[in-house]
Amino acid sequence: MGAKDKDDKDKEPLRVGSAVRRRRRALDLTLAAVAARSGLSVPFLSQIENQRARPSMRSLQRVADALETTAGQLIAASDSARTVDVVRAGADPGLEARVRSLVRGQHQLRALEFTGEQDAGREFQHRNDELMYVADGAAEVEAEGRAYRLERGDTLFLSGGVRHRWRATAPGTRILVVAVAGHVDATGELRR
């Protein structure tokens, strides 16, 4: 992360409002119910959800307890409230060699970039939908008993639950994998 990007992120107020609202709705609770559980007022809770008030850690913990979660999980989920976030090339060392996350934080969308050779023997099966895009090079994907050869610019969509494996078949291959995150149920609700 560049110095300017880091400074901008540090100056940005904690945005837990969207995470609080999503969690409250997932539990099918009203603001009044959360107020009763937390001991905080409905207007204050409304201001938190609408980003007009920044709760103290003590207040956030009270909200989290009322929502049957933790303050840490609400903070982690708060990144998804960001509407714009740039991930600079080379700024992230990656999850492991040759794999780089393209989206920071815990969002409903997961995007990874794979470079170089990958283990063709490993089989994947994800609960949610996935899209593979070959940015450079070529790959072969085995899914549901069929082999698919993908070249630069090709995409492959896999429905949730489809067993598949893939491998790069050309030097310098870069594949983008975009998927609905594993922590999101089919209904779009965040799991704890």
Side-chain angles (χ1 to χ4, degrees):
M1 178 180 291
K4 184 177 184 331
D5 293 335
K6 184 178 184 335
D7 290 344
D8 290 347
K9 190 170 183 173
D10 290 344
K11 288 179 189 172
E12 191 172 301
L14 183 61
R15 296 180 178 269
V16 295
S18 293
V20 168
R21 181 182 301 113
R22 280 193 307 272
R23 181 69 184 157
R24 177 178 63 79
R25 288 179 177 168
L27 294 173
D28 201 26
L29 296 173
T30 63
L31 280 173
V34 175
R37 289 178 173 194
S38 68
L40 300 171
S41 71
V42 170
F44 181 60
L45 291 170
S46 176
Q47 288 177 343
I48 290 171
E49 285 192 2
N50 291 304
Q51 305 298 122
R52 289 193 303 267
R54 182 176 178 182
S56 66
M57 280 306 292
R58 184 168 183 255
S59 293
L60 183 59
Q61 188 57 56
R62 291 169 68 180
V63 171
D65 290 344
L67 296 175
E68 302 168 10
T69 190
T70 67
Q73 287 176 319
L74 289 174
I75 290 169
S78 71
D79 273 345
S80 62
R82 301 181 75 160
T83 56
V84 177
D85 188 26
V86 176
V87 177
R88 302 274 182 214
D92 181 2
L95 304 171
E96 58 186 69
R98 301 185 310 254
V99 180
R100 181 171 74 103
S101 180
L102 300 176
V103 178
R104 281 188 279 247
Q106 188 175 24
H107 298 275
Q108 293 180 13
L109 178 71
R110 182 161 169 85
L112 300 172
E113 175 185 54
F114 294 86
T115 56
E117 294 186 27
Q118 299 298 319
D119 181 7
R122 185 171 175 203
E123 186 173 71
F124 300 93
Q125 182 179 25
H126 309 290
R127 182 175 55 168
N128 295 320
D129 295 345
E130 179 177 332
L131 178 83
M132 297 178 76
Y133 171 75
V134 179
D136 287 310
E140 187 172 278
V141 180
E142 293 177 33
E144 298 200 328
R146 263 184 90 185
Y148 300 89
R149 174 129 174 94
L150 303 176
E151 309 237 346
R152 184 174 187 247
D154 290 345
T155 61
L156 177 74
F157 172 80
L158 299 162
S159 294
V162 171
R163 289 184 182 276
H164 60 284
R165 70 181 80 217
W166 63 274
R167 65 184 181 92
T169 58
T173 296
R174 281 188 325 124
I175 297 178
L176 304 180
V177 176
V178 180
V180 175
H183 68 278
V184 177
D185 291 326
T187 60
E189 296 175 358
L190 294 175
R191 284 192 299 125
R192 281 200 328 155

